[in-house]
Amino acid sequence: MKYVLVTGGVVSGLGKGVTASSIGLLLKECGLRITAIKIDPYLNTDAGTMSPFEHGEVFVLDDGGEVDLDLGNYERFLDIKLTSDNNITTGKIFQHVINKERKGDYLGKTVQVVPHITDAIQEWIERVAMIPVDGREGPADVCVIELGGTIGATIFSRHNESSILDAGDIESMPFIEAMSQFSHRVGSGNFYLVHVSLVPVLNVVGEQKTKPTQHSVRGLRGLGLTPNILACRTTKPLDDNIKEKLSQFCHVPLENIITLPDVTNIWHIPLLLREQKAHEALIKTLNLQGIVKEPLLEEWSAHARICDALHDPVRIAIVGKYTGLSDSYISVLEALLHASTACMKKLVVDWVPSSDLEDNTTLEALELHKAAWKQLKGANAVLVPGGFGDRGVEGKILAAKYARENHVPFLGICLGMQIAVVEFARSVMNLQDANSTEFDPHTTNPCIIFMPEGSKTHKGGTMRVGSRRTYFDVTDSKSAKLYGNPNFVDERHRHRYEINPDKVAEFEKAGLEFVGKDETRRRMEIVELPNHPYFVGVQFHPEFKSRPGKPSPLFLGLVEAACGKLDCLPVNAAHLSNSPKRAMSPANAYENGNPKKPAKSFSHRKIFPNANGVHV
Ligand code: GLN
């Protein structure tokens, strides 16, 4: 096993996760099998309890792991499926060591950060690196490890020039020490360090400044880690003299100083790394010359190129709570991008804060209210993503009502599906106080209820989370067709509440169709409105399994419907302004009378636009 450690210096938010994913992809294109580990030095056991406001989205894995969003980047870039152990946190490591101590595994010894915590970190990495993640047997060739936070970024006190640590540095220490020991343990031919740093430009003189990077590399060296490559984030490519300076002061060969300037889309990053031959140095140091090929990245460069060239917009309104931080919905955003690129449309996302859609009284709120409705009404489709807590829920309900009544394509994900059902109950079935018991525990019309898989009395650990199966009972539904008419699909879940099974018959009578259910047929997984161009709600999160070139079918359906290209548009929707045309995507394959196939599960169809805009 070869290990590539990716660290970050100077400031956070440099795109370390995307850089780590891109290095993985470049190596994958060289013919190597790749796995990835993310280290988050915070004390939380996992990301499940962390606010998307602060940390961005909680990514969900097949095994129910609630993890850092960077694992989503790894899965999307590398087309792999990770496990919750691929996300290491201080919480997990300490819990592991303390459990061992309680069991008596260290009997007689004083349990210390060094060596017990640092050993546990190294053992964890070696164990997890061996888990196959690409659907093939046996371990990967290379494990990319990303160390969260910034390291070696010492802050110098203005008064005495001595370095002081910030809080993040303290938490990172055991991991840095562990990685430093690890690099010696596995040997230099098996360990490679990529340090992502910032080279800022001072506006006054327009000069690229190397000092912050110098400091961070010095800090890194002081902690026992030597970078092989410096990946420098800049606004424009590094000047040659700046590269020379960095090489000289940081003791990194000139050819290993890589520039990562701002790009139009993240798919360019692997291409930038390849152009600068980052893989060549890596392969040489890790002694992999004999087994690798030249990385072509053909599909990837087509993605990047096409994405840049698209100009015909498709406007999608995302109605949510965390619209101020796009990282909160990063997988939804990526899935939309995959789908719109496949449809040859330029994705324009209109972020609509759901609470602004609600009636507000103050003058300032009125302006926001008007702006939110203007945005919603200007969109070609509406997406209500998942969420927790009652803030903005009524605004989401209004958005669903607007989409339903005005035949605007709608996709409701998890909470987005639940509120669409509540809206239907209120408006169509006239159940005025219909609600989810999450928001109104005393409603006389509980449409969405607490349905834990485990205990009914304890909330802790009762989340239905991870991959679950959905069976298609209505084969001519839009979703079944979009998925390619499988008998079932496996998608990822993260919720506690569900459609009240005792109300299903009533809902169906009023016109809602439950086209996908779990194996007990008690849990409703997919709901559709038949007389609507595209009104789909799903209890699961299809965004987590969407990939570039293999968009999630339900996102593809939404974007196609938004462009008026979804062939399953009902005849009575022909009056809509964007009336249906022949679709150029494979989604129309199901119109051509695809025979019902024998039992099979779903795997995302590969959809990739060629230069003429035709999907192949
Ligand atoms: N809060 C809802 C539930 O727990 C929806 C969760 C979600 O959207 N992920 O069921």
Side-chain angles (χ1 to χ4, degrees), residues 386-389 413-415 418 438 494-497 539 541:
F388 293 82
I413 296 174
C414 206
L415 180 63
Q418 298 174 358
E438 183 179 4
R494 183 171 182 250
H495 62 102
R496 289 194 182 85
Y497 293 81
Q539 186 57 79
H541 291 264

Side-chain angles (χ1 to χ4, degrees), residues 9 146 177 249 254 313 319 364 390-391 416 419 435 438 484 553 578:
E146 181 193 345
E177 174 58 26
F249 284 99
L254 189 61
V319 182
E364 190 202 353
D390 60 1
R391 192 163 64 76
I419 58 94
N435 214 330
E438 183 179 4
N578 41 3

Side-chain angles (χ1 to χ4, degrees), residues 164-404:
I164 52 167
L165 296 164
D166 72 13
D169 287 330
I170 293 173
E171 279 156 12
S172 302
M173 280 305 170
F175 292 102
I176 298 168
E177 174 58 26
M179 293 320 296
S180 168
Q181 290 181 17
F182 193 70
S183 66
H184 294 292
R185 176 158 143 191
V186 297
S188 57
N190 298 314
F191 187 88
Y192 201 79
L193 176 53
V194 179
H195 189 58
V196 186
S197 187
L198 176 76
V199 178
V201 176
L202 282 196
N203 275 345
V204 202
V205 274
E207 194 190 340
Q208 296 173 321
K209 305 304 274 182
T210 62
K211 258 294 181 326
T213 301
Q214 290 183 42
H215 276 307
S216 105
V217 171
R218 196 175 306 154
L220 203 58
R221 281 183 192 282
L223 297 164
L225 287 168
T226 308
N228 298 90
I229 280 191
L230 279 185
C232 301
R233 291 284 291 107
T234 60
T235 44
K236 60 181 182 62
L238 287 181
D239 297 340
D240 283 347
N241 65 325
I242 298 294
K243 274 190 175 183
E244 273 159 28
K245 199 165 165 186
L246 280 170
S247 168
Q248 208 168 14
F249 284 99
C250 300
H251 310 166
V252 172
L254 189 61
E255 62 274 20
N256 290 6
I257 313 275
I258 306 285
T259 308
L260 294 179
D262 295 344
V263 284
T264 43
N265 68 66
I266 57 169
W267 297 336
H268 281 290
I269 304 290
L271 307 175
L272 279 175
L273 289 167
R274 186 195 50 181
E275 271 164 33
Q276 296 173 70
K277 303 195 184 342
H279 57 293
E280 288 185 4
L282 217 146
I283 281 159
K284 206 164 134 207
T285 308
L286 295 179
N287 299 320
L288 292 165
Q289 295 97 325
I291 61 164
V292 295
K293 59 181 176 63
E294 199 46 41
L296 295 177
L297 288 163
E298 276 168 338
E299 286 196 3
W300 211 261
S301 27
H303 275 311
R305 226 184 26 246
I306 289 169
C307 191
D308 282 348
L310 295 174
H311 52 85
D312 193 11
V314 58
R315 301 194 83 93
I316 313 283
I318 298 185
V319 182
K321 185 160 94 170
Y322 311 113
T323 48
L325 177 67
S326 60
D327 265 2
S328 309
Y329 299 113
I330 184 168
S331 293
V332 169
L333 214 51
E334 290 293 316
L336 281 174
L337 197 62
H338 303 159
S340 53
T341 309
C343 291
M344 301 300 280
K345 292 282 176 185
K346 182 180 172 60
L347 176 66
V348 181
V349 171
D350 290 316
W351 296 100
V352 182
S354 52
S355 42
D356 289 353
L357 292 173
E358 297 165 9
D359 277 331
N360 290 302
T361 44
T362 65
L363 206 58
E364 190 202 353
L366 203 65
E367 285 307 307
L368 295 174
H369 180 71
K370 269 199 234 154
W373 275 100
K374 191 170 170 215
Q375 267 188 315
L376 187 71
K377 289 184 175 170
N380 304 112
V382 175
L383 189 151
V384 180
F388 293 82
D390 60 1
R391 192 163 64 76
V393 162
E394 290 302 321
K396 291 179 188 172
I397 290 178
L398 291 170
K401 183 179 170 70
Y402 162 78
R404 182 180 59 77

Side-chain angles (χ1 to χ4, degrees), residues 506-551:
E506 248 180 279
F507 287 138
E508 276 177 335
K509 225 168 113 205
L512 269 188
E513 261 192 317
F514 298 95
V515 301
K517 298 174 189 160
D518 80 332
E519 64 283 359
T520 68
R521 304 301 194 267
R522 291 278 294 166
R523 296 178 191 273
M524 302 302 122
E525 294 284 1
I526 311 177
V527 50
E528 285 186 16
L529 266 183
N531 292 317
H532 189 287
Y534 191 81
F535 195 97
V536 177
V538 279
Q539 186 57 79
F540 49 79
H541 291 264
E543 68 270 26
F544 293 137
K545 284 170 80 172
S546 189
R547 302 276 191 266
K550 287 192 276 179

